[in-house]
């Protein structure tokens, strides 16, 4: 045990408490220390807690009850309990009818009933044919007070008494009085008894000086040089400290912000779009046929209010119609069916953020790089890996010389900055060709996991928008990426507000190396 170091780290109040324990006879209460050292009770309790954590004192905690008589209790201590007054009346006048008790005893109706009840309970009287008579036990009680009456008188005399200080008989009397309403006020009080440990005695044997300590330096201390004469207490860097839960960004939000930061640093422009979208922008403009399975109500949320949305210019609508029906000027045969504008007007909760890309291409001319992060909605059964609402990051790159190889390079760089190794495999999407799915490698599981799709927009998507340059596009899921980053197996954890889990997460995340 490094006694010198412990003494050097003791606070002034801790030293005073140790000195008090050295002088006072154990067991010692905090109030004893307050009187001995002329300290504030809060300072004493704080010092005791700190000394206990250092193993210099031991604290025995107990709970006691403090008794005080009520106004009625003090009155009964002087005049006697109702049963005592009825007993004395019976001794003086002999057997009485129950109906005469209230008139001759001076008790009100309630007190008379209570008194007769306790007479029976204490076996001081019997009642037969509505006549109350004293028993032999009652005769004996005329000559002496019961313990409950003695306790009531003591309380009236002293004002307050702790239950722990009572004899066994008076403790039983307290239980009896406590059964009666309105006679006692009972308050629980916590007691602390402090004693020195062997470690604490060793500190006192070594000895220390009690002197004022400097807790902070002022401008005046530094200016005058007074700081050289001040005494500075040592600090224990291994001391216990309270656990603090600082405010911090939600982990999913934090990952979204990290993704946003990556694309902004790669030169992308951020765009946003409405959550309630028309089927036109969500499906038709992306060359998705109107009889496609993804457009069924089993997969897409259709909105009742408003049931329809306003379509863009007739020119654009006609171009999309032509592309669907016969391919337009793209060289494609289209889908070879009659396109229905009423279906295109329907309101939906967007199923992807690719509709933001389509709107952006209509309003902005290449060259351009755009990304969008937002919520999307699909009719999914809630499970540990699926939700009907999730986030997606969407992006496009449009320029004269953009190729599929450029797209793969952009995605590889994006995942590299997130700390993942990525690979690509062929895939099919209605609005891109060539198309690919992105997979990242998880070393701890020795497996690859799919996180999104990408490809080159088809001519059938670009021609109605009057875009003549190649456009590379990608759409990546964020929740699954967050699950990998946070090491969770259930996607619902991201939305359940589990405080224990949220508090355990670090304030910041550096990502993978």
């Amino acid at each position: 045990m490094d006694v010198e170091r412990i003494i050097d780290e003791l606070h002034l109040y801790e030293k005073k408490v140790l000195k008090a324990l050295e002088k006072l006879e154990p067991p010692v209460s905090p109030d004893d220390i307050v009187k001995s050292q002329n300290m504030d009770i809060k300072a004493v309790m704080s010092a005791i807690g700190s000394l206990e954590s250092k193993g210099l004192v031991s604290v025995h905690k107990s709970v006691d009850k403090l008794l005080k008589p009520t106004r009625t209790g003090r009155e009964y201590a002087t005049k006697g309990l109702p049963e005592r007054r009825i007993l004395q009346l019976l001794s003086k006048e002999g057997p009485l009818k129950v109906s005469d008790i209230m008139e001759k005893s001076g008790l009100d109706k309630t007190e008379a009933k209570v008194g007769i009840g306790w007479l029976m309970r204490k076996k001081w009287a019997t009642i037969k044919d509505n006549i109350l008579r004293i028993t032999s036990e009652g005769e004996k009680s005329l000559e002496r007070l019961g313990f409950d009456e003695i306790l009531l008188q003591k309380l009236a005399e002293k004002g307050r008494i702790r239950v722990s200080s009572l004899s066994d008989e008076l403790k039983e009397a307290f239980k009896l009085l406590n059964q009666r309403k309105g006679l006692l006020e009972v308050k629980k009080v916590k007691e602390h008894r402090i004693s020195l440990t062997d470690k604490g005695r060793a500190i006192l044997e070594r000895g220390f000086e009690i002197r004022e300590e400097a807790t902070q330096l002022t401008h005046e201390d530094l200016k005058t040089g007074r700081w050289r004469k001040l005494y500075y207490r040592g600090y224990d860097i291994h001391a216990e400290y309270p656990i603090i839960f600082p405010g911090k960004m939600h982990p999913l939000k934090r990952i979204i912000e990290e993704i946003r930061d990556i694309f902004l640093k790669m030169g992308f422009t951020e765009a946003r779009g409405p959550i309630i979208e028309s089927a036109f922008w969500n499906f038709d403009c992306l060359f998705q046929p109107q009889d496609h399975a993804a457009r069924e109500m089993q997969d897409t949320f259709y909105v009742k209010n408003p049931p329809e949305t306003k379509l863009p210019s007739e020119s654009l609508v006609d171009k999309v119609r032509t592309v669907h029906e016969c391919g337009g000027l793209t060289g494609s045969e289209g889908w070879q069916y009659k396109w229905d504008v009423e279906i295109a007007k329907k309101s939906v909760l967007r199923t992807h953020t690719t509709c933001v890309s389509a709107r952006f291409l209509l309003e902005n001319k290449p060259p351009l790089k755009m990304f969008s992060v937002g919520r999307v909605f699909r009719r999914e059964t809630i499970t540990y890996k699926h939700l009907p609402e999730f986030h997606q990051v969407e992006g496009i790159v449009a320029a004269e010389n953009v190729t599929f190889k450029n797209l793969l390079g952009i995605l590889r760089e994006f995942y590299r900055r997130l700390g993942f190794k990525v690979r690509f495999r062929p895939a099919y999407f209605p609005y891109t060709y060539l198309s690919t799915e992105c997979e990242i490698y998880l070393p701890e599981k020795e497996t690859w996991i799919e996180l999104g799709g990408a490809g080159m927009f088809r001519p059938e998507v670009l021609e109605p928008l009057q875009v003549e340059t190649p456009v590379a596009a990608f759409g990546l899921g964020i929740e699954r990426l967050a699950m990998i980053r946070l090491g969770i197996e259930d996607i619902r954890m991201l939305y359940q507000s589990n405080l224990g889990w949220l508090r355990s997460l670090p304030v910041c995340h550096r990502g993978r190396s």
Side-chain angles (χ1 to χ4, degrees), residues 360-379:
F360 193 85
L361 283 172
L362 179 67
E363 298 167 2
N364 300 271
K365 298 301 179 184
L368 56 84
K369 290 196 291 184
M370 182 280 296
F371 80 99
S372 176
V373 180
R375 294 191 180 196
V376 297
F377 308 84
R378 296 177 190 174
R379 265 177 125 60

Side-chain angles (χ1 to χ4, degrees), residues 240-246 503:
E240 292 185 10
Y241 57 90
I243 298 175
I244 297 174
F245 301 109
R503 284 173 172 173

Side-chain angles (χ1 to χ4, degrees), residues 143-144 175 304:
E143 300 173 3
R144 65 177 186 274
K175 294 178 182 178
K304 288 184 178 180

Side-chain angles (χ1 to χ4, degrees), residues 141-190:
S141 297
L142 286 167
E143 300 173 3
R144 65 177 186 274
L145 294 176
F147 285 113
D148 55 344
E149 295 170 293
I150 294 172
L151 176 57
L152 202 56
Q153 289 185 353
K154 284 182 175 289
L155 284 169
E157 179 184 335
K158 296 183 178 181
R160 60 181 66 191
I161 298 176
R162 290 178 181 266
V163 171
S164 60
S165 66
L166 299 176
S167 64
D168 292 341
E169 293 85 357
L170 291 181
K171 285 179 181 177
E172 290 300 317
F174 156 65
K175 294 178 182 178
L176 206 61
L177 282 176
N178 203 33
Q179 295 174 19
R180 307 174 72 151
K181 294 181 181 179
L183 299 187
L184 300 179
E185 289 182 10
V186 183
K187 182 181 178 182
K188 287 185 177 180
V189 289
K190 292 182 179 179

